[in-house]
Amino acid sequence: EIERLNWLKGEWVNSTETEYSKETWSQENDSTLNGFSYTQIGKDTVFAEILKLQQLGEKVALTVVAFNQNDDTPVTFMMKPSKEGVFVFENLSHDFPQRIVYTNPTKDSIYAWVEGPIDGEIKRVEFYFSKSK
């Protein structure tokens, strides 16, 4: 299953006038991809996280450590069956997000989003990245 996510390997960026985000993925071994993502506004890093995709038997897990969230402890999301080209990772016991979704709409792009409940409403935050390396 994890081989279906090999397209993530490399560097991905999103840059606007006010914000710069970068997500980098590399292969650790046959069953693990490691990622790091951060966002800067000006010279300040406002968000950073370490990501790990692992094949665990028949399942694929996405483990995230978001700095300054959840006491810097890992949160694991399990990949759920979904339509071709859409990778849904879910942890319904987590507050927000409960779902992390990655898609690869074109060869050199990532469209991803996180979603879950905030104050009783489902919120969705979207991310667009272009391949840089």
Side-chain angles (χ1 to χ4, degrees):
E1 284 292 303
I2 198 164
E3 290 176 0
R4 294 178 34 217
L5 290 155
N6 278 340
W7 60 269
L8 279 170
K9 291 188 290 189
E11 291 184 3
W12 304 86
V13 296
N14 182 5
S15 186
T16 67
E17 285 183 23
T18 58
E19 196 172 286
Y20 176 81
S21 297
K22 182 175 182 179
E23 186 160 307
T24 305
W25 287 94
S26 60
Q27 189 154 3
E28 180 178 317
N29 56 43
D30 289 347
S31 63
T32 305
L33 295 174
N34 292 315
F36 179 71
S37 179
Y38 68 92
T39 299
Q40 290 179 315
I41 296 178
K43 295 195 183 300
D44 294 325
T45 300
V46 296
F47 178 79
E49 65 185 352
I50 296 171
L51 307 125
K52 183 178 288 269
L53 278 164
Q54 289 180 289
Q55 182 79 45
L56 302 173
E58 298 294 313
K59 298 184 180 272
V60 175
L62 172 62
T63 302
V64 181
V65 177
F67 298 106
N68 299 317
Q69 294 180 25
N70 305 303
D71 296 321
D72 294 340
T73 57
V75 178
T76 299
F77 300 80
M78 299 306 294
M79 191 163 81
K80 300 291 179 189
S82 59
K83 63 184 181 182
E84 186 67 31
V86 178
F87 302 91
V88 178
F89 298 89
E90 189 172 79
N91 178 340
L92 297 179
S93 65
H94 190 250
D95 54 1
F96 183 88
Q98 291 185 336
R99 254 175 248 87
I100 300 172
V101 182
Y102 278 92
T103 66
N104 184 218
T106 61
K107 182 176 182 268
D108 293 330
S109 70
I110 291 175
Y111 169 50
W113 63 90
V114 296
E115 62 186 26
I118 296 179
D119 298 329
E121 289 186 45
I122 298 297
K123 301 289 185 188
R124 179 170 162 155
V125 180
E126 299 177 336
F127 304 92
Y128 300 89
F129 290 96
S130 297
K131 189 102 179 214
S132 71
K133 287 188 185 177

